[in-house]
Amino acid sequence: MIKKLLVLVVFCLFGNLQAEDKESIKRGKKIYDSVCFACHGKSLEGATGFNLKDGEWVHGNTPEQIKATIVKGFPEKGMLPFGTMYKDDQIQDIVNFIISRQEGLRDMTYEIYQGVKANKPIDKIDFSSMKPQKYGKIIPAYADLNIPEVDNFGIINKGKLIVPESGNYTLVGGIRQNSHIQIFIDGKELEFKIANRRFNHKMKLEKGTYSFELRYVKIHKYSNMNLNLKKPGYDIPLSKDSYNRMKNQQILVGAKTKPLIMRKRIEGLPTKTIAVAYPEKVNFAFNPLNGSINGHWVGEFLDLAPNINGRGNRGSKPQSKLSFSGDKGIDILIDGKAPQINYIKYSTLGLPTFTFTANGKKVELSAKAQGQDLVFTYKTDISGQITLALPKDAKVKSSQGTVEGNTLTVDSANNKEFSLVLAK
């Protein structure tokens, strides 16, 4: 009777812990979606900040290391110390959410066995009776067959496989030879046949962590291997070659049915730039540091691949030539001088709108597409003379002011609200 009661108590405690973990993950997701996504992407895929779900971690991927990174931040690289803004339990919620979204291989190691030949089936080769000539960690954590510097060898890659969601998966591979490769998940060998250098294996996997092992004996001149774990909504690279191949693919984004606002690092624009795209395929950039419309291009929006694959060290690439760009663009001036700008927020309700103050006076800047022209409307509390400095290549007109050279002078009667058209 006592034993049954103890089992019941343990079961209840375990159930409560699981429930608490789920609640913690929900709370963490809420904070992430409101703050972290701007730099790390809505799906943790990376943007100006690092990818937070793959096998490449710069500052450590243990819960303790992730928490320390969030708490201390890296102010010199643009990441704030969130330990000054959130309580310890809130930061732990963020960590739990990030951990719950991990996928792919971790803690990968290699063992190289020189002189191993493919003169018998690979399942007849007893690696356990051999001593590896070389071994070590694989960083980043992707299966890699090109580590050895000799022609005749066998290699074993070992690590952990994190499955992000329960479901039916397909392991898809490509290799130059038709035999002498084995893959084990949780000690069970996957059965597949290689045909025309390709193979696949279908399996059902539950969300969780599995042991992963790959054994290989070189036959072909080249040891390149593509290996991905796939299901609808997921394409997880497991090999270094697959990872590099995905890095070289474009990740194109753009507005479909309504305007799209993205805060990304963009090639040729300041690091804090906020970019806006319209379904009409016209785009502009706003600099929150000085209230400037500092970029404009017509055509496709952005390729995020350089930014994501460069771990935030490279900018996303505009998909057509910018008509103007830089630190300065269409700049608001008060009585001929650049005002002190304090950025407040942007809104996606209705038209994309940026709110800031200029010398303490509120300014709302909204924009709409008119064909492939952009109509910018300023609503202000400014009482002084408003002028807009214009880039030399910008085609600007306004019925509420006068354009002379590179300056638009707003009629003082229109200070409260005036518009300008930025032509294609």
Side-chain angles (χ1 to χ4, degrees), residues 4 26 35 45 51 59 65 78 92 111 151 155 164 173 181 199 204 219 240 283 290 297 401 407:
K4 288 182 178 179
K26 285 182 181 179
V35 179
E45 76 277 11
N51 184 311
H59 303 297
Q65 290 169 326
Q92 188 60 54
E111 299 170 359
D151 286 330
I155 186 171
I181 181 171
F199 62 89
K204 185 174 183 178
I219 299 176
K240 184 177 180 181
N283 320 281
N290 62 7
W297 65 105
T407 303

Side-chain angles (χ1 to χ4, degrees), residues 72 108 110 121 130 138-139 170 239 284 292 317 319 404:
K72 297 179 181 178
M108 290 293 289
Y110 69 89
M130 307 177 196
I138 305 177
I139 301 174
T170 303
S239 70
F284 77 93
S292 171
K317 189 173 182 180
Q319 290 303 283
E404 291 185 1

Side-chain angles (χ1 to χ4, degrees), residues 141-301:
Y142 294 96
D144 189 358
L145 305 181
N146 282 307
I147 299 172
E149 299 175 351
V150 294
D151 286 330
N152 297 316
F153 68 87
I155 186 171
I156 295 178
N157 288 180
K158 293 181 181 178
K160 296 186 297 186
L161 172 64
I162 301 175
V163 176
E165 181 180 281
S166 299
N168 295 314
Y169 287 84
T170 303
L171 185 72
V172 180
I175 196 166
R176 298 292 185 96
Q177 58 194 49
N178 290 322
S179 65
H180 287 76
I181 181 171
Q182 292 176 297
I183 297 174
F184 301 82
I185 292 181
D186 262 6
K188 181 180 179 181
E189 183 178 358
L190 307 186
E191 296 181 4
F192 54 82
K193 291 183 179 180
I194 304 174
N196 298 320
R197 299 181 176 180
R198 292 179 173 83
F199 62 89
N200 66 74
H201 176 86
K202 297 181 184 299
M203 55 191 158
K204 185 174 183 178
L205 294 171
E206 300 297 322
K207 175 181 171 69
T209 303
Y210 299 78
S211 66
F212 176 89
E213 183 175 340
L214 184 151
R215 300 176 186 176
Y216 169 84
V217 177
K218 183 178 181 181
I219 299 176
H220 195 273
K221 180 181 179 181
Y222 300 105
S223 297
N224 304 78
M225 177 186 66
N226 290 312
L227 193 65
N228 295 67
L229 186 63
K230 297 186 177 186
K231 74 182 289 286
Y234 291 91
D235 186 358
I236 306 170
L238 300 184
S239 70
K240 184 177 180 181
D241 292 310
S242 287
Y243 173 63
N244 288 335
R245 186 176 181 179
M246 292 183 75
K247 284 176 67 174
N248 292 328
Q249 293 177 346
Q250 288 185 314
I251 304 174
L252 298 178
V253 294
K256 294 181 179 179
T257 60
K258 60 182 181 180
L260 173 67
I261 297 182
M262 300 194 80
R263 192 165 197 164
K264 299 285 185 184
R265 184 171 181 177
I266 299 175
E267 185 179 289
L269 292 170
T271 56
K272 300 295 184 179
T273 290
I274 303 171
V276 184
Y278 293 83
E280 292 83 356
K281 297 190 183 302
V282 59
N283 320 281
F284 77 93
F286 174 79
N287 186 348
L289 298 182
N290 62 7
S292 171
I293 301 165
N294 65 330
H296 172 246
W297 65 105
V298 175
E300 299 297 332
F301 188 38

